[in-house]
Amino acid sequence: MDGYSGGSQPFGLDAAATSDFLAKHGIQAIMDLRSDLERALVPWLVPGNPEGPSLEAVPESNPQEPSAAVELIHNPLDPNAVAGSLQAVEKPEDLGELYLGWIRIRPEWVAHALRPVAQGKRTFIHCSLGKDRTGVVSAVALLAAGEPDEAVVNDYTATTQNLPNLLETMAETWRLVVPSTPAQYFSPELMILQSPEAAIRHFLVGFAREFGDARSFLREAGLTTAEVNSLRGGT
């Protein structure tokens, strides 16, 4: 799809680097899927939205009120509070099942994440590592655009090569705020911090079984038919 890109949170981007990144990629909206705590640790320094209180300036009741040149949209999903325990993820299929739990409980969260894309805005969708919450939203978007399962698998597993560096950076970020954070919390050996092919394949099988097709899922989750159709048109 041409209407969005996905990735991790803005590690190490100051205001100038943020502005350059947004301009280079033509970003018109940022869809931030992180919890409040995650956002506080690594805030966006969006032009027109200085660090700190401005990120809270858009009321949750009207999360798409525009700011300056780039919309900063907070659409949180806290993985520790929705559908299952992160600690219970021991094998790839557990990870795929965790993803299914998120969309069973919060289908509107997926629809809201894709609404600016459906409205024709070039959108950067991200969470912390860019593989789980972002991976789920990207998977549904690709399916709705008519892409085959293999495209979803390739998109999800593309994160794998970047995870070691991302985890190291994330660990450093957390230790600055909570020095007592155990190093093993960010171990690449933890299944919850991996992006195995078997996890996304489990998700795809479960999604097809429970929800049928992605376009119907998104309509039932809150997107209009026109919005859903525009996702296909963006391929």
Side-chain angles (χ1 to χ4, degrees):
M1 289 182 66
D2 296 326
Y4 81 96
S5 57
S8 65
Q9 58 193 324
F11 288 117
L13 294 185
D14 60 15
T18 296
S19 184
D20 288 346
F21 169 80
L22 297 173
K24 177 181 178 181
H25 297 283
I27 302 300
Q28 297 170 299
I30 298 170
M31 179 59 63
D32 191 337
L33 306 177
R34 298 175 298 168
S35 67
D36 289 335
L37 174 59
E38 292 170 297
R39 288 199 307 152
L41 286 172
V42 186
W44 272 102
L45 304 184
V46 176
N49 286 276
E51 182 177 5
S54 68
L55 295 182
E56 307 297 333
V58 180
E60 291 299 325
S61 61
N62 187 18
Q64 289 190 295
E65 181 178 313
S67 66
V70 177
E71 273 189 284
L72 182 56
I73 307 165
H74 186 210
N75 182 27
L77 186 142
D78 186 345
N80 293 300
V82 179
S85 168
L86 302 185
Q87 289 70 36
V89 175
E90 298 180 350
K91 56 185 186 294
E93 292 74 17
D94 296 335
L95 190 54
E97 194 61 33
L98 184 71
Y99 299 161
L100 287 169
W102 293 346
I103 66 170
R104 289 185 192 112
I105 294 174
R106 295 282 307 280
E108 78 290 346
W109 169 77
V110 183
H112 184 51
L114 291 174
R115 182 163 283 114
V117 183
Q119 293 174 345
K121 297 171 184 174
R122 177 71 181 174
T123 306
F124 180 68
I125 300 173
H126 79 97
C127 50
S128 288
L129 287 174
K131 76 174 187 75
D132 297 314
R133 288 163 289 187
T134 302
V136 167
V137 171
S138 294
V140 176
L142 288 168
L143 292 173
E147 295 291 334
D149 285 3
E150 290 309 308
V152 177
V153 172
N154 291 338
D155 180 72
Y156 176 81
T157 56
T159 307
T160 300
Q161 62 182 350
N162 298 321
L163 280 176
N165 288 336
L166 286 171
L167 289 172
E168 183 176 343
T169 302
M170 181 179 284
E172 292 172 358
T173 301
W174 274 86
R175 280 196 290 266
L176 286 174
V177 180
V178 187
S180 61
T181 303
Q184 60 265 31
Y185 280 16
F186 303 98
S187 170
E189 301 302 316
L190 293 174
M191 179 54 60
I192 191 62
L193 298 179
Q194 298 178 30
S195 51
E197 179 177 328
I200 196 65
R201 289 198 183 279
H202 181 91
F203 171 83
L204 287 168
V205 170
F207 184 89
R209 181 180 63 247
E210 295 185 39
F211 303 105
D213 68 278
R215 293 162 65 80
S216 296
F217 169 82
L218 288 172
R219 282 194 295 268
E220 292 180 11
L223 292 189
T224 66
T225 298
E227 287 173 331
V228 173
N229 288 342
S230 73
L231 294 175
R232 181 179 287 274
T235 57

